[in-house]
């Protein structure tokens, strides 16, 4: 009997991850035999965990916080979008090393433009954060046509480094966190920080929101997204979106890279959204 191919998601924390549920659903839909598990790994354990995974027959990994930049550094080869991000969330073992991709930005843009029918073109966009998640989505936001991308991070040097890597100084610029009150308003605000995981209230200025048409997006989902989304609604954003749709779409990108077929994401997203809504109502 053939042993199913092994895949996993690695991060810390990881117990909350929906990726095993998503990939199991994709596997059932496409008739592909595989196993997909969640692996907890501290930063100092990351390389050893990857080596053990390969030794046990592992073929592909999704990578989440806090390992995306470290994962990219380990890649022997990488796609242009992973190189543009300087971060990888999808690893494929080629026999001689890891091949890295970054599906985060494609997943975000597909969720916003195809599922939710938002037109991102011409929007002035504020990106909060400059870590692996922000690096993954920033190049695709520019490709989607945002008119301006302002990157703000508590460590200003990381924001500077991200904007330098993007290579579009006319559209992508870094500013200090203390400047938030003076940045004007935005048609799109993307939270790629850990604000919602660190505090129950988000103290951002309401003046960041362009009245009537601002789209707010938190790249997290579940409880971690609640504080930012609550702030966005209170500030008058026209729409406030969590990262669940992005998670499903980026997973489909990874699945296609590994298995050569793109699953239908609609039923999986609908089931997860219904489950999330039911849990929120129960709380």
């Amino acid at each position: 009997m053939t042993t199913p191919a092994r895949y996993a998601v690695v991060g810390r924390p990881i117990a909350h991850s929906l990726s095993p549920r998503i990939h199991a659903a994709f596997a059932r839909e496409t008739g592909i035999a595989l196993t997909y598990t969640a692996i907890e790994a501290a930063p100092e354990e990351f390389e050893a965990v990857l080596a053990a995974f390969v030794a046990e027959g592992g073929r592909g990994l999704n990578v989440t916080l806090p390992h995306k930049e470290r994962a990219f550094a380990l890649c022997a080869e990488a796609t242009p979008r992973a190189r543009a991000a300087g971060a990888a969330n999808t690893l494929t073992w080629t026999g001689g090393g890891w091949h890295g991709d970054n599906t985060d930005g494609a997943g975000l843009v597909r969720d916003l433009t195809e599922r939710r029918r938002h037109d991102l073109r011409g929007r002035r966009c504020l990106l909060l954060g400059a870590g692996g998640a922000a690096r993954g989505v920033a190049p695709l936001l520019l490709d989607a046509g945002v008119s301006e991308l302002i990157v703000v991070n508590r460590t200003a040097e990381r924001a500077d480094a991200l904007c330098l890597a993007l290579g579009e100084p006319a559209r992508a610029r870094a500013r200090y966190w203390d400047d938030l009150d003076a940045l004007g308003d935005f048609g799109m605000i993307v939270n790629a920080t850990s604000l919602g995981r660190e505090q129950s209230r988000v103290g951002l200025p309401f003046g960041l929101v362009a009245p009537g048409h601002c789209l707010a997006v938190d790249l997290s989902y579940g409880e971690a997204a609640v504080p930012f989304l609550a702030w966005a609604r209170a500030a008058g954003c026209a729409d406030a979106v969590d990262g669940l749709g992005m998670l499903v779409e980026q997973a489909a990108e990874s699945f296609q890279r590994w298995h050569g077929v793109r699953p239908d994401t609609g039923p999986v997203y609908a089931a997860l959204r219904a489950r999330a809504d039911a849990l929120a109502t129960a709380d």
Side-chain angles (χ1 to χ4, degrees):
M1 183 175 180
T2 304
T3 302
R6 187 179 178 210
Y7 299 86
V9 58
V10 58
R12 187 175 191 184
I14 203 62
H16 69 287
S17 177
L18 294 175
S19 291
R21 184 188 296 265
I22 292 169
H23 282 267
F26 289 163
R28 288 192 299 271
E29 176 194 322
T30 58
I32 294 173
L34 59 85
T35 65
Y36 189 107
T37 58
I39 302 173
E40 179 99 11
E44 65 273 14
E45 303 169 332
F46 186 64
E47 287 87 346
V49 166
L50 264 59
F53 180 75
V54 170
E56 294 166 1
R59 296 187 186 179
L61 283 167
N62 286 129
V63 182
T64 188
L65 295 174
H67 303 307
K68 294 181 182 182
E69 292 170 82
R70 188 183 295 261
F72 174 75
L74 294 175
C75 290
E77 300 177 280
T79 61
R81 60 190 181 185
R83 291 197 297 271
N89 78 330
T90 302
L91 299 179
T92 306
W93 183 250
T94 63
W98 290 108
H99 180 280
D101 193 7
N102 195 307
T103 64
D104 281 340
L108 175 64
V109 171
R110 183 182 286 268
D111 178 54
L112 295 178
T113 61
E114 296 189 20
R115 176 176 290 113
R116 303 178 185 279
R117 303 300 179 186
H118 286 294
D119 189 348
L120 306 187
R121 292 173 297 179
R123 291 181 186 257
R124 185 170 187 251
C125 180
L126 173 64
L127 178 59
L128 300 170
R135 283 178 165 272
V137 303
L140 275 295
L141 290 172
L142 291 172
D143 289 347
V146 301
S147 61
E148 186 178 13
L149 184 68
I150 301 297
V151 181
V152 178
N153 190 62
R154 293 194 184 280
T155 305
E157 292 79 8
R158 286 177 65 81
D160 290 336
L162 171 53
C163 290
L164 182 64
L166 290 170
E168 292 203 37
R171 283 204 295 158
R173 295 188 294 278
R175 297 293 298 269
Y176 294 109
W177 194 272
D178 291 343
D179 292 339
L180 283 173
D181 280 314
L183 295 182
D185 59 25
F186 294 85
M188 184 176 184
I189 301 173
V190 178
N191 180 33
T193 73
S194 57
L195 278 175
R197 291 184 291 273
E198 293 175 349
Q199 55 200 62
S200 59
R201 295 186 62 189
V202 174
L204 298 171
F206 281 0
L208 294 171
V209 173
H213 71 275
C214 183
L215 167 63
V217 184
D218 196 312
L219 301 189
S220 298
Y221 58 91
E223 290 185 6
V226 169
F228 177 77
L229 298 183
W231 170 85
R233 295 185 184 105
C237 288
D239 197 7
V241 176
D242 71 4
L244 184 61
M246 169 185 163
L247 176 72
V248 174
E249 296 300 332
Q250 66 82 24
E253 293 271 330
S254 297
F255 193 92
Q256 183 175 26
R257 171 163 290 280
W258 291 331
H259 308 294
V261 57
R262 185 180 182 86
D264 181 3
T265 58
V268 176
Y269 173 76
L272 291 176
R273 177 56 67 194
R275 176 177 177 269
D277 290 346
L279 290 173
T281 302
D283 290 343

